[in-house]
């Protein structure tokens, strides 16, 4: 492989936007954070947006007729508009705030799923899914008598598209697939998957939890029916995420949680429901979380997805080279299309020990099955060590990882 240049000046500077790395004076702590796939660090802009809301503009939303409530409502609905623009969704009503990707999938299983799926029907997934895109469907199958169909993957961690296409049948009622795999970093060929689903008139959901920090998105161009993601993986707060739904389909869904804010009128005899998006947002939402997510959108768009995608490709290439040169290290997941995620196993050292010893060097990685046990089973490994990178990572972080691995290999005599 050719040498990959280690040019990251812009991204080194950008680390000073994130206080966890040492504050706004740009003085780096020696934290090597390689666990953004689990949750990303937060820029000052996001932290400040949340704190400003609580300090200056906080009240409950939608119902108040006084100034503070109107201001909080304006900021909350402003965040919805930011998320709409981020996804290039056609309408603001297509954005439903939820707690995160997990709640988003549960919303869809309990609404779209209950509406469309019955005894003997089929839900098509892939072998790459996170548990959040397996278990809600499994629960639906248990209560309806439907079955899961699972498209296989190859040794590289890519979906076998011939098998995926062949798994459609007259009984396929929903397709739900990861845009990007959390365990391996594979970018699925979602355009092809969407085309196959739409040709057959089957609604298709994309689990975008791992795609949102890495890939520029355009719902109108992509043409999926639903897109689900969490804010905390895209540099926003925890406790907030969104479901995008194409208006005609989203508008056909029944409510799933009942309570305040989702109604038009209530009597003991009968309740009528509010229009979208509030019909699917019962109760007081995470107001500050939504505002923080809006700030994360502004931040990401300010950096720009063309640059983020290029940086990701560079980190991927560099990581493949420097990790690939380590004797006894095997990268698990070598798809042609990936985001900068490196799952690996080391001869003679358990992933848990890898993680613990790297942790002692202030290198944060994730070890285990990454909430994707079927992927691990398929690739024949009980667990991996996963380094998942974000926009603040540089090739220096990968060099530190390589050095840390060398040190622990010497320690274990591996
Ligand atoms: C691909 C994928 N889907 C869904 C989720 C669930 O996200 P959350 O825990 O934020 O709800 C994750 C989290 O790791 C993920 O990686």
């Amino acid at each position: 492989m050719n040498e990959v240049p280690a040019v990251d000046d812009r991204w080194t500077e950008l680390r000073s936007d994130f206080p966890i790395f040492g504050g706004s004076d740009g003085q780096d702590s020696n934290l090597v954070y390689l666990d953004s796939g689990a949750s990303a660090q937060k820029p000052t802009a996001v932290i400040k947006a949340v704190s400003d809301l609580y300090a200056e503009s906080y009240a409950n939303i939608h119902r108040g007729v006084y100034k503070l409530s109107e201001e909080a409502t304006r900021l909350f609905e402003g965040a919805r508009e930011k998320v709409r623009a981020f996804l290039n969704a056609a309408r603001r009503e297509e954005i439903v705030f939820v707690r995160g990707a997990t709640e988003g999938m549960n919303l869809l299983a309990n609404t779209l799923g209950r509406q469309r799926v019955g005894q003997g029907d089929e839900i098509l997934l892939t072998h790459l899914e996170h548990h959040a895109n397996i278990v809600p469907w499994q629960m639906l199958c248990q209560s309806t008598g439907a079955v899961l169909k699972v498209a296989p993957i190859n040794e590289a961690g890519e979906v076998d598209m011939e098998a995926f296409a062949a798994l459609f049948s007259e009984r396929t009622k929903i397709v739900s697939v990861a845009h990007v795999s959390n365990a391996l970093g594979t970018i699925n060929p979602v355009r092809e998957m969407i085309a196959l689903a739409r040709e057959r008139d089957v609604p298709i959901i994309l689990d975008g939890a791992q795609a949102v920090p890495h890939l520029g998105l355009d719902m109108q161009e992509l043409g999926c029916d639903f897109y689900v993601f969490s804010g905390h993986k895209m540099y926003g707060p925890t406790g907030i995420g969104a479901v995008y739904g194409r208006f005609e389909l989203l508008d056909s869904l029944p409510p799933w949680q009942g309570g305040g804010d989702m109604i038009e009128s209530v009597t003991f005899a009968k309740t009528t429901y509010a229009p979208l998006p509030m019909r699917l947002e019962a109760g007081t939402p995470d107001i500050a979380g939504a505002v923080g997510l809006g700030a994360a959108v502004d931040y990401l768009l300010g950096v720009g997805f063309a640059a983020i995608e290029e940086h990701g490709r560079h980190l991927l290439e560099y990581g493949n080279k420097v990790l690939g040169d380590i004797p006894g290290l095997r990268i698990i997941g070598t798809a042609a299309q990936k985001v900068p995620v490196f799952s690996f196993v080391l001869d003679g050292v358990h992933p848990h020990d890898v993680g613990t010893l790297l942790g002692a060097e202030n290198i944060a990685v994730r070890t285990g099955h990454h909430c994707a046990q079927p992927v691990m089973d398929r690739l024949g490994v009980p667990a991996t060590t996963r380094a998942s990178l974000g926009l603040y990572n540089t090739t220096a972080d990968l060099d530190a990882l390589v050095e840390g691995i060398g040190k622990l290999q010497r320690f274990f005599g591996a």
Side-chain angles (χ1 to χ4, degrees):
M1 197 185 279
N2 292 332
E3 278 304 306
V4 183
V7 192
D8 323 271
D9 288 354
R10 173 180 183 197
W11 307 96
T12 307
E13 273 169 37
L14 188 140
R15 285 166 79 85
S16 62
D17 294 344
F18 293 78
I20 199 105
F21 296 121
S24 55
D25 59 358
Q27 289 301 306
D28 238 20
S29 72
N30 61 1
L31 170 64
V32 177
Y33 189 72
L34 299 173
D35 199 19
S36 298
S39 201
Q41 297 298 341
K42 316 303 172 201
T44 304
V46 167
I47 298 167
K48 192 167 174 321
V50 172
S51 131
D52 284 356
L53 178 93
Y54 281 126
E56 295 163 17
S57 312
Y58 183 73
N60 209 333
I61 54 167
H62 293 149
R63 291 170 286 245
V65 290
Y66 53 91
K67 196 157 159 272
L68 258 189
S69 175
E70 282 167 0
E71 176 63 1
T73 304
R74 188 185 66 75
L75 289 166
F76 180 81
E77 291 301 331
R80 194 188 310 276
E81 169 53 26
K82 286 178 188 194
V83 173
R84 185 210 62 74
F86 172 68
L87 297 173
N88 194 26
R91 307 169 60 154
R92 61 174 282 283
E93 296 90 338
E94 293 178 327
I95 308 299
V96 175
F97 283 124
V98 286
R99 264 197 306 129
T102 302
E103 192 177 57
M105 280 300 172
N106 280 278
L107 181 157
L108 291 173
N110 282 290
T111 54
L112 185 74
R114 294 204 174 277
Q115 187 183 58
R116 295 191 173 232
V117 173
Q119 172 83 29
D121 285 338
E122 296 169 0
I123 299 162
L124 177 55
L125 312 177
T126 81
H127 217 112
L128 277 180
E129 305 310 323
H130 185 280
H131 297 165
N133 194 28
I134 300 174
V135 184
W137 303 115
Q138 220 160 31
M139 290 162 74
L140 180 69
C141 288
Q142 274 159 11
S143 63
T144 58
V147 288
L148 294 184
K149 294 283 167 178
V150 183
I153 55 173
N154 64 19
E155 287 299 318
E158 295 164 319
V159 174
D160 175 340
M161 284 304 291
E162 248 176 61
F164 179 83
L167 278 169
F168 279 89
S169 80
E170 291 295 300
R171 303 306 301 262
T172 311
K173 292 293 155 69
I174 292 174
V175 182
S176 191
V177 293
H179 190 171
V180 169
S181 144
N182 68 309
L184 308 180
T186 309
I187 305 175
N188 271 328
V190 290
R191 284 190 163 67
E192 220 181 305
M193 291 168 156
I194 291 167
L196 287 166
R198 297 209 71 174
E199 271 165 29
R200 293 161 176 80
D201 231 359
V202 180
I204 178 162
I205 302 165
L206 298 191
D207 172 356
Q210 295 292 337
V212 279
H214 294 291
L215 306 174
L217 292 168
D218 183 334
M219 291 302 116
Q220 296 182 70
E221 193 254 324
L222 201 55
C224 61
D225 296 298
F226 296 96
Y227 200 92
V228 174
F229 66 93
S230 299
H232 70 96
K233 294 185 199 283
M234 52 178 278
Y235 314 100
T238 50
I240 190 77
V243 172
Y244 154 82
R246 206 154 50 76
F247 186 81
E248 300 71 41
L249 261 181
L250 192 68
D251 200 36
S252 74
L253 300 185
W256 77 302
Q257 292 178 336
D261 242 25
M262 51 80 75
I263 54 90
E264 220 161 46
S265 76
V266 179
T267 66
F268 283 110
K270 185 173 161 46
T271 291
T272 58
Y273 302 115
L276 285 179
M278 287 160 72
R279 187 166 71 235
L280 295 169
E281 293 178 352
T284 302
D286 186 344
I287 303 165
V291 171
L293 177 58
V297 165
D298 286 344
Y299 183 80
L300 277 166
L301 297 181
V303 177
F305 271 100
I308 290 170
E309 288 180 18
E310 195 196 324
H311 182 50
R313 282 191 293 271
H314 180 230
L315 291 173
L316 181 63
E317 202 183 337
Y318 190 86
N320 280 336
K321 161 91 184 86
V322 293
L323 291 170
D325 283 347
I326 298 177
L329 183 147
R330 184 159 63 96
I331 295 182
I332 306 293
T334 50
Q337 300 296 323
K338 276 184 69 171
V339 298
V341 167
F342 306 95
S343 248
F344 60 89
V345 289
L346 269 187
D347 285 350
V349 193
H350 191 278
H352 189 71
D353 294 331
V354 177
T356 308
L357 281 154
L358 289 175
E361 301 288 320
N362 213 8
I363 301 171
V365 292
R366 170 94 3 171
T367 61
H369 54 62
H370 317 297
C371 294
Q373 281 181 355
V375 182
M376 302 287 121
D377 290 347
R378 163 63 183 85
L379 297 178
V381 287
T384 69
T385 303
R386 183 188 71 181
S388 55
L389 281 64
L391 49 73
Y392 33 61
N393 289 118
T394 66
T395 52
D397 293 322
L398 288 165
D399 292 341
L401 175 65
V402 170
E403 203 176 305
I405 293 170
K407 205 165 162 181
L408 76 88
Q409 280 183 318
R410 287 191 292 281
F411 178 80
F412 280 101

